[in-house]
């Protein structure tokens, strides 16, 4: 698969000027549409974008991603204005962990350390001892004294993977990402037969049976780095298909094949409908009109900042 960089459009050029006029920065996740990635100031995974959000001197942050990511940027920058192009850009994984239900579980195990994947709501972060991303989750788990019991939420697949990697037993919340659970093992094995020299790379949010056949398991950034440094030329990529844009730019001479989803769809790959709610036009309108804005209470931001800061200190 070859992905060519789109040519700048008038809207992209106008957006670039608007950023200068308003002292704004655009942060975009790798899963965003290519035309959004092309206009972003920083592109990254959850950990990289959290760091960029904590470091920026811009007065306005426009987050081209999903709701929990924009919330995290606001928590890290309570005095700045943070915008999300489409407030309906949610997250199936974050939605799988309602705060009231999680609070009840936590109350049942008061001696457990609560580790939550950053893909959760601000309310869930206030109930956490430390947050993690797929990039630093293993490091976070290993930082917890072995005598301490752990609750891990909300992703059960990432939790199972971490238990296997660290040897720690954890109480797992029963949550998952619909995108990373959409990969078809049968279709992937069939695809591998067609490309026997390919290396299968997978995100740890994928189900165990997918991870078992992967040659490399890692975060979004980890997968990008693996493909860049690998001597191999063909890869089957099991994560949201938006990553292929940056990945192909990094390795234009290599062949990248999106892992097939269980359901038949137009791209035969797995895409996050929430991520794709953001468009270049919505991004422009968002900055031009300065809406919709992420607003959180001061108390909630203070409480949620504690576990996020612990994560950043460990990273």
């Amino acid at each position: 698969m070859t992905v060519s960089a789109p040519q700048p459009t008038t809207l992209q050029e106008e957006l670039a000027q608007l950023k200068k006029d308003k002292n704004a920065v655009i942060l975009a996740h790798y899963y965003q549409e290519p035309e959004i990635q092309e206009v972003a100031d920083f592109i990254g995974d959850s950990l990289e974008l959290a760091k960029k959000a904590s470091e920026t001197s811009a007065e306005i942050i426009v987050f081209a991603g999903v709701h929990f990511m924009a919330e995290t940027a606001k928590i890290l920058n309570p005095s700045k204005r943070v915008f999300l192009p489409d407030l309906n850009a949610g997250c199936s994984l974050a939605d799988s962990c309602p705060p009231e239900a999680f609070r009840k579980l936590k109350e049942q195990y008061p001696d457990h350390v609560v580790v939550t994947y950053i893909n959760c709501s601000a309310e869930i972060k206030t109930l956490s001892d430390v947050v993690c991303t797929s990039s630093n989750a293993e490091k976070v788990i290993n930082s917890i004294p072995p005598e301490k019991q752990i609750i891990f939420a909300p992703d059960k697949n990432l939790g199972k993977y971490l238990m296997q990697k660290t040897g720690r037993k954890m109480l797992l919340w029963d949550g998952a990402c619909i995108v990373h659970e959409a990969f078809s093992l049968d279709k992937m094995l069939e695809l591998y037969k067609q490309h026997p020299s390919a290396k299968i790379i997978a995100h740890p949010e994928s189900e165990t049976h997918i991870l078992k056949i992967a040659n490399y398991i890692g975060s979004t950034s980890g997968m990008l780095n693996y493909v860049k440094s690998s001597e191999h030329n063909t890869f089957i990529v099991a994560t949201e298909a938006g990553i292929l844009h940056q990945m192909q730019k990094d390795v234009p001479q290599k062949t990248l094949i999106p892992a097939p989803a269980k359901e038949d769809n137009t791209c035969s790959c797995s895409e996050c409908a929430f991520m794709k709610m953001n468009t270049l036009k919505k991004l422009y309108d968002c900055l031009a009109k300065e809406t919709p804005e992420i607003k959180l209470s001061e108390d909630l931001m203070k409480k949620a900042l504690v576990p996020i800061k612990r994560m950043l200190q460990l990273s």
Side-chain angles (χ1 to χ4, degrees):
M1 177 179 180
T2 301
V3 181
S4 57
Q7 294 300 309
T9 65
T10 302
L11 199 58
Q12 286 172 318
E13 291 166 354
E14 291 177 359
L15 192 51
Q17 185 60 49
L18 201 58
K19 285 191 301 180
K20 291 180 183 178
D21 295 343
K22 297 198 173 193
N23 187 20
V25 65
I26 295 175
L27 306 181
H29 195 274
Y30 287 121
Y31 297 167
Q32 292 295 290
E33 294 285 8
E35 61 181 7
I36 291 179
Q37 294 189 42
E38 289 298 318
V39 80
D41 296 284
F42 301 104
I43 309 165
D45 62 9
S46 296
L47 178 58
E48 292 168 332
L49 293 175
K51 287 180 177 178
K52 291 298 183 185
S54 68
E55 297 166 357
T56 183
S57 59
E59 295 175 13
I60 290 176
I61 298 172
V62 182
F63 212 115
V66 293
H67 200 273
F68 79 81
M69 296 178 179
E71 281 187 336
T72 302
K74 180 63 178 176
I75 292 164
L76 288 165
N77 296 275
S79 63
K80 299 181 187 294
R81 300 183 70 196
V82 178
F83 300 94
L84 182 68
D86 192 327
L87 284 181
N88 291 317
C91 171
S92 59
L93 179 55
D95 290 345
S96 72
C97 191
E100 284 307 313
F102 187 69
R103 184 178 285 106
K104 289 178 182 177
L105 175 71
K106 181 182 176 181
E107 288 171 353
Q108 294 176 40
Y109 301 92
D111 296 330
H112 283 51
V113 175
V114 178
V115 180
T116 53
Y117 190 27
I118 199 168
N119 299 36
C120 64
S121 68
E123 288 84 1
I124 293 296
K125 290 179 175 70
T126 67
L127 300 171
S128 310
D129 293 301
V130 61
V131 170
C132 71
T133 71
S134 53
S135 296
N136 62 18
E138 190 175 346
K139 189 173 186 179
V140 168
I141 296 301
N142 285 331
S143 74
I144 298 169
E147 67 274 11
K148 292 284 188 180
Q149 297 296 307
I150 300 170
I151 294 174
F152 186 85
D155 192 286
K156 62 183 178 183
N157 294 318
L158 177 57
K160 289 174 186 175
Y161 172 73
L162 290 170
M163 287 171 66
Q164 183 263 322
K165 289 289 288 184
T166 66
R168 298 290 293 268
K169 289 184 178 179
M170 300 190 291
L171 178 62
L172 303 181
W173 181 263
D174 188 19
C177 165
I178 58 173
V179 174
H180 288 97
E181 286 208 322
F183 297 117
S184 167
L185 179 61
D186 292 339
K187 287 183 180 180
M188 197 177 299
L189 291 173
E190 187 61 37
L191 186 62
Y192 181 70
K193 287 179 184 178
Q194 298 170 29
H195 303 274
S197 65
K199 293 296 179 183
I200 298 172
I201 61 175
H203 193 281
E205 286 182 41
S206 302
E207 293 178 289
T208 302
H209 57 258
I210 298 294
L211 299 183
K212 282 183 178 178
I213 65 168
N215 300 104
Y216 174 80
I217 301 167
S219 66
T220 310
S221 292
M223 295 168 80
L224 284 161
N225 291 330
Y226 177 80
V227 169
K228 280 193 287 187
S229 61
S230 174
E231 296 178 354
H232 295 276
N233 292 313
T234 305
F235 302 87
I236 297 172
V237 184
T239 192
E240 211 275 352
I243 194 179
L244 295 173
H245 175 68
Q246 184 62 46
M247 194 175 278
Q248 194 74 74
K249 285 176 68 176
D250 290 344
V251 289
Q253 76 285 6
K254 297 187 179 183
T255 300
L256 308 175
I257 307 166
K262 296 170 187 173
E263 300 296 329
D264 290 332
N265 55 37
T266 54
C267 71
S268 299
C269 59
S270 203
E271 291 191 329
C272 176
F274 292 116
M275 284 282 187
K276 299 310 192 262
M277 281 183 169
N278 297 313
T279 64
L280 188 64
K281 179 65 165 60
K282 288 180 182 177
L283 184 61
Y284 177 84
D285 289 344
C286 173
L287 183 53
K289 300 174 183 177
E290 298 187 9
T291 187
E293 186 171 358
I294 299 296
K295 294 189 176 182
L296 302 170
S297 73
E298 188 174 336
D299 181 60
L300 185 148
M301 287 191 288
K302 283 183 178 179
K303 290 178 179 177
L305 181 61
V306 175
I308 295 173
K309 272 193 168 181
R310 285 177 183 153
M311 173 192 74
L312 292 174
Q313 288 166 357
L314 284 168
S315 301

